């Protein structure tokens, strides 16, 4: 009964390392592996210095998701492995969880904003 939405910064598109088509192919492979458990993917293709409203920790992707779905932010969670994920969740007034995979453990000491939960 939960929505599962992905919000991801993809500056590799803006850097021309890979294409938007490549990113969508990866998302399709993820959907196939998870038997379509993700309700939607939202992405920001911009470089960090472009000042867009969609790049995490800005709220653009959350705002887009809220226009697509009925979302109760107060009872929602932002789960990620970077400080930008925790900041986005905090900015959106959501609960936050930091996973220690990926960048999570490496950067945990650098977090000034503490997540609600830290987990493996």
């Amino acid at each position: 009964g939960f929505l599962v939405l992905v919000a991801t910064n993809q500056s590799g598109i803006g850097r021309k390392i890979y294409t938007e088509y490549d990113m969508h192919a990866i998302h399709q492979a993820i959907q196939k592996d998870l038997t379509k458990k993700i309700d939607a993917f939202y992405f920001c293709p911009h470089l960090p210095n472009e000042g867009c409203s969609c790049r995490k920790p800005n709220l653009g992707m959350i705002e887009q998701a809220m226009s697509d779905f009925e979302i109760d932010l107060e009872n929602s969670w932002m789960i990620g492995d970077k400080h930008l994920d925790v900041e986005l969740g905090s900015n959106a007034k959501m609960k936050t969880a930091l996973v220690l995979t990926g960048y999570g453990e490496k950067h945990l000491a650098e977090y000034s904003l503490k997540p609600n939960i830290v987990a493996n």
Side-chain angles (χ1 to χ4, degrees), residues 50-78:
E50 285 188 56
C52 69
S53 64
C54 58
R55 186 171 179 80
K56 292 186 286 187
N58 298 322
L59 295 174
M61 289 187 276
I62 298 291
E63 291 166 350
Q64 181 61 53
M66 291 184 70
S67 73
D68 295 342
F69 297 95
E70 191 172 315
I71 298 173
D72 175 3
L73 289 179
E74 185 177 316
N75 290 305
S76 296
W77 285 82
M78 179 65 190

Side-chain angles (χ1 to χ4, degrees), residues 13 19 24 28 34 38 45 57 61 73 75-76 78 81 89 91 98 102 106 108-109 115 118 120:
I13 295 170
T19 67
H24 288 301
Q28 288 173 350
L34 296 177
I38 296 175
M61 289 187 276
L73 289 179
N75 290 305
S76 296
M78 179 65 190
D81 68 345
N91 290 344
L98 176 72
K106 180 179 173 184
L108 182 59
V118 176
N120 291 326

Side-chain angles (χ1 to χ4, degrees), residues 7-114:
T8 177
N9 289 341
Q10 294 294 323
S11 64
I13 295 170
R15 291 184 172 99
K16 309 234 184 288
I17 296 171
Y18 51 88
T19 67
E20 187 174 326
Y21 177 84
D22 295 330
M23 182 206 60
H24 288 301
I26 291 168
H27 290 172
Q28 288 173 350
I30 291 169
Q31 285 288 52
K32 182 179 177 190
D33 287 348
L34 296 177
T35 59
K36 301 196 184 273
K37 293 181 182 174
I38 296 175
D39 294 290
F41 290 86
Y42 298 92
F43 70 98
C44 170
H46 305 108
L47 300 176
N49 62 352
E50 285 188 56
C52 69
S53 64
C54 58
R55 186 171 179 80
K56 292 186 286 187
N58 298 322
L59 295 174
M61 289 187 276
I62 298 291
E63 291 166 350
Q64 181 61 53
M66 291 184 70
S67 73
D68 295 342
F69 297 95
E70 191 172 315
I71 298 173
D72 175 3
L73 289 179
E74 185 177 316
N75 290 305
S76 296
W77 285 82
M78 179 65 190
I79 303 166
D81 68 345
K82 289 186 177 180
H83 70 279
L84 293 175
D85 301 314
V86 174
E87 284 183 54
L88 173 59
S90 178
N91 290 344
K93 309 292 189 244
M94 301 165 69
K95 293 174 206 70
T96 59
L98 176 72
V99 293
L100 296 177
T101 55
Y103 296 98
E105 188 167 11
K106 180 179 173 184
H107 295 279
L108 182 59
E110 300 172 13
Y111 287 49
S112 59
L113 184 62
K114 298 298 180 199

